[in-house]
Amino acid sequence: MTQSLTIRRPDDWHLHLRDGAMLKAVLPETARHFGRAIVMPNLVPPVVTGDDAAAYRDRIMAALPEGMSFEPLMTLYLTEDTDPVDVRNAAESGLIKAVKLYPAGATTNSASGVTDFDKVRGVLETMAEIGLPLCVHGEVTDPDIDIFDREAVFIDRVLDPVRRASPGLRVVMEHITTAQAADYVRAGDETLGATITVQHLMLDRNAMLVGGMRPHYYCLPILKRRDHRDALVDLATSGFDRAFLGTDSAPHPTHKKEAECCAAGAFTAPIALSCIAEVFEAKGALDKYEAFVSLNGPKFYGLPVSEDTLTLTKGPAIDLPTKIAAGADTVTVFDPGQPLHWSVS
Ligand code: DOR
Ligand code: ZN
């Protein structure tokens, strides 16, 4: 039986680091394990221009504790006013590695997102030309569409038409949550990839709703039924090389999670690798773990795999952190609801 796993150092292909005191608090939790991360641009105000991304990158590097190594992979927040020339310059200088599409109103801090896709046609054409990936939050915002159906409807109504209209555009379906999304990425060509989170591989909506509502499990896209989770686990553990870990670790102050109207997001960074190891072990797929957390992402993004290694060791159930301090607030760490046995050394 495998008791120890040494792998290339993992990366996180979808991460929220925030800013200020929150950034300072959460950055070490990621940098302790992950070498790089695609950093989401949904600050208030959002990271829209190359100049915004350069300034944010500097704030991230300034917040990194002495002795830790970490490379933030910056993104721009796509708006209807985004300038294709600025995108091209930011990509060609190496500053940004992707552009993020939020349908307006889909989730936390998405008010400046896109409503009219014709208005971003020029940016998407530039991105297709230079091979810059578009990271997509794949949910429609139509109030008539049930929240549990918003991802599947988005694929038909928005994603597929956008991809057909922009041949060659590289697209990452972010934090996929449904069997429909798993099928769509499998059926796609080499321009299409997908990230999957920790919580969507471990939990279904019963975990969030049965026996009382658990706000720390509330995130967007929302947790789905068990069969969707099973489809995601099958995809991640199959060795399929266009699916990779994007934790979507999304810290909010505890008081905003434990509130009458709770903020969306699960703070999984501190225990993400242990959680994923548990999922892969349960499927008898530990031999595919390194591909999912360390190899498939760089391959899709055209970046080198890490030269560093990291070892996970199996032992008795580990003590899980419950909260970390962030300025005057705390952030509650995701509780997987099951013991974890893999620790990172
Ligand atoms: O649950 C989520 N939280 N989903 C998102 O898409 C955004 C994120 C956040 O920024 O908190
Ligand atoms: Zn996110």
Side-chain angles (χ1 to χ4, degrees), residues 16 18 42 102 107-108 137 175 218-221 248 250-252 264-266:
H16 297 270
R18 317 296 192 207
N42 63 333
Y102 287 104
T107 185
T108 312
H137 183 109
H175 42 53
Y218 175 67
C219 64
L220 291 172
D248 198 12
H252 291 276

Side-chain angles (χ1 to χ4, degrees), residues 260-274:
E260 190 181 19
C261 180
C262 112
F267 178 55
T268 54
I271 58 167
L273 292 178
S274 302

